[in-house]
Amino acid sequence: MRSKSIALPTLSALALVTALTVPTVSSAEEGASVIEEGKSIAFNRKKGNCLACHAIEGGTLPGNIGPPLVNMKERFPSKKKLKEQIWDATRTNPYTIMPPFGKHEILEPDELDKVVEFIYSL
Amino acid sequence: MKAKNALLILFLVLPLGTAFAADVSPEEELVKFQSYFKEKFPEIPFQDFANGVYAVDPASREQWEALEEFPPYEIDIEEGKRLFETPFKNGKTYADCFENGGIGIAQNYPYFDAKRNEVVTLPLAINRCREENGEPPLKYKKGKLAKILAYMVYTSRGNTIDVKIPNEKALEAWKKGRQFYFSRRGQLNLACAHCHLENAGRRIRADILSPALGHPTHFPVYRSKWGELGTLHRRFAGCNKQVRAKPFKAQSEEYRNLEYFLTYMSNGLQINGPGVRK
């Protein structure tokens, strides 16, 4: 997007940059708030309740059935892969205790996406 | 570590693969099941498994032992004794329905009734005794029946659980119970075995998961969460609801078979009920 604007005449380019800057700031905020929303869904006992099994930064009294959720970007090459794990963990491990949050509609699709954003930020 | 995983996979895979399930022998399963827990918790003396989560969690054990000094179920035992000894309208009593007058017999339940072809639990036997004597049945999860049960179980303390599988039909019932124990259930897709076998001793949020071995030794239980006594099937229903599965009725065939399986797997442990839990 931005690299295209460089080819434009200077004046309109400036106008465009300002135009672009505004949404960039708000989308960063949006990103942060999506992560925050994801966090509260993940921590909510009636929703993700991920703390039942995983230690997660910022969460209290975690269980220790699953591994602590840290360095997620190193563990998962893409958000897509991470989403697959949360959607239906039995696909990688048929015996897993981890509930299939997407497949069994424990979380709504948009809630699951927000949880992915949060977990990927860890 | 590897051996343990192999054992676990044996447990978890077999019921799912029907081809294997047909060959399961209760005697072998009992040995595997009990050695799994003995290896997982080598420091716990066998009889201590009857103490549930307090066997594996020294931190909460002290509090529990303090509770057991003035147990909240004591008045329930007394009330249960009174109810047990009160004659029915026809003049007979519970004692007339049971071996040894109903005293010290809880370790033989549940048993497989070869005539009726079904598992008979102690609560079921109590209600059948009432009905045979023209009295209406009592509710199965709490209240009077739980109190009568508390008394009968109390008189059985120290007796060793000895559940038998007398014939093919009984074996079928045991297998159904086993199947139930290892089947995923509810929206959360969890089997009893996930929590009480595979992850016994681990924490699920702040709760430590008790081992399946020893579960039936101490029911009915006074739970602080309930503020009263409850039966084993009340607890089954609670654990089913926890995974957002529809619970079965107390004393349904499903839960009786489950109790049959679970109690058989605790053979050799001593009755120590009623118990107290949080």
Side-chain angles (χ1 to χ4, degrees):
Chain A
M1 273 296 264
R2 242 179 240 161
S3 59
K4 256 190 207 158
S5 72
I6 289 164
L8 293 168
T10 329
L11 247 183
S12 45
L14 251 179
L16 203 84
V17 166
T18 19
L20 274 180
T21 321
V22 180
T24 308
V25 168
S26 80
S27 81
E29 273 170 6
E30 217 173 81
S33 77
V34 166
I35 289 175
E36 274 308 306
E37 279 180 61
K39 183 177 180 176
S40 69
I41 296 163
F43 285 9
N44 184 331
R45 279 174 190 271
K46 300 220 159 77
K47 295 281 185 180
N49 199 16
C50 314
L51 290 168
C53 300
H54 297 283
I56 302 173
E57 204 190 329
T60 51
L61 296 175
N64 60 0
I65 291 174
L69 299 181
V70 288
N71 299 332
M72 281 293 118
K73 291 189 184 80
E74 279 165 40
R75 302 275 305 127
F76 290 86
S78 65
K79 280 186 197 170
K80 188 169 169 284
K81 281 273 167 222
L82 176 62
K83 184 171 170 175
E84 281 171 14
Q85 168 73 25
I86 302 172
W87 180 271
D88 179 11
T90 65
R91 281 206 286 193
T92 32
N93 173 9
Y95 309 114
T96 189
I97 186 174
M98 180 159 152
F101 289 93
K103 190 179 167 204
H104 276 205
E105 299 175 356
I106 300 164
L107 295 174
E108 305 282 340
D110 68 308
E111 292 175 330
L112 198 132
D113 287 338
K114 287 172 185 166
V115 168
V116 171
E117 293 296 331
F118 165 59
I119 300 293
Y120 211 57
S121 77
L122 294 169
Chain B
M1 194 58 198
K2 240 195 173 154
K4 262 184 211 167
N5 280 344
L7 190 63
L8 186 67
I9 284 171
L10 261 182
F11 274 129
L12 294 176
V13 175
L14 286 184
L16 307 172
T18 36
F20 288 101
D23 301 330
V24 175
S25 125
E27 295 78 12
E28 285 170 25
E29 278 286 286
L30 179 78
V31 173
K32 260 200 289 177
F33 183 88
Q34 297 196 350
S35 1
Y36 170 79
F37 286 110
K38 286 177 189 162
E39 278 169 37
K40 196 174 175 114
F41 303 102
E43 71 288 1
I44 297 181
F46 180 64
Q47 285 303 334
D48 209 26
F49 280 103
N51 295 323
V53 71
Y54 306 110
V56 298
D57 180 25
S60 61
R61 184 165 182 134
E62 267 178 53
Q63 260 176 307
W64 169 71
E65 281 173 348
L67 257 180
E68 280 284 7
E69 278 175 34
F70 302 98
Y73 52 72
E74 207 153 52
I75 53 169
D76 293 320
I77 296 176
E78 279 167 30
E79 175 65 6
K81 181 175 196 286
R82 195 188 62 77
L83 290 165
F84 182 86
E85 288 169 352
T86 306
F88 303 126
K89 280 188 217 84
N90 66 6
K92 294 205 170 163
T93 65
Y94 290 103
D96 296 313
C97 297
F98 293 96
E99 218 177 290
N100 199 36
I103 303 303
I105 56 162
Q107 69 283 357
N108 303 324
Y109 287 81
Y111 73 91
F112 194 82
D113 183 327
K115 279 198 207 101
R116 293 182 191 248
N117 276 329
E118 65 169 358
V119 172
V120 177
T121 62
L122 192 48
L124 188 72
I126 290 173
N127 261 349
R128 287 209 172 136
C129 173
R130 294 179 58 83
E131 286 175 314
E132 280 159 19
N133 286 289
E135 301 286 333
L138 299 171
K139 291 220 163 83
Y140 278 122
K141 285 188 176 170
K142 54 185 176 188
K144 284 184 183 162
L145 183 132
K147 290 174 189 177
I148 294 167
L149 200 57
Y151 169 65
M152 293 179 79
V153 166
Y154 182 70
T155 67
S156 314
R157 276 191 178 185
N159 296 351
T160 301
I161 295 180
D162 184 21
V163 170
K164 297 190 173 68
I165 301 174
N167 60 29
E168 277 301 309
K169 293 267 190 223
L171 180 61
E172 250 172 62
W174 179 89
K175 278 185 186 168
K176 282 186 190 155
R178 180 184 189 280
Q179 178 85 35
F180 194 110
Y181 207 76
F182 288 92
S183 297
R184 290 182 180 276
R185 221 167 277 281
Q187 192 184 29
L188 300 191
N189 209 34
L190 298 175
C192 317
H194 275 118
C195 287
H196 296 295
L197 194 88
E198 185 182 354
N199 287 294
R202 291 220 177 93
R203 257 179 297 115
I204 188 157
R205 200 73 201 250
D207 289 325
I208 294 188
L209 291 163
S210 56
L213 176 60
H215 266 175
T217 62
H218 51 274
F219 276 83
V221 146
Y222 182 97
R223 266 188 95 186
S224 17
K225 190 184 157 193
W226 293 335
E228 60 182 2
L229 275 186
T231 57
L232 184 59
H233 291 198
R234 183 177 181 186
R235 191 42 138 142
F236 287 172
C239 278
N240 273 165
K241 285 188 219 158
Q242 218 171 190
V243 301
R244 302 181 194 164
K246 192 170 179 289
F248 292 87
K249 283 218 166 93
Q251 301 305 322
S252 59
E253 191 188 341
E254 286 84 358
Y255 279 176
R256 278 183 288 128
N257 290 342
L258 177 61
E259 179 176 342
Y260 190 46
F261 165 74
L262 205 57
T263 313
Y264 177 86
M265 298 312 255
S266 281
N267 267 352
L269 288 178
Q270 288 169 7
I271 297 284
N272 61 343
V276 55
R277 294 290 183 270
K278 64 168 186 164

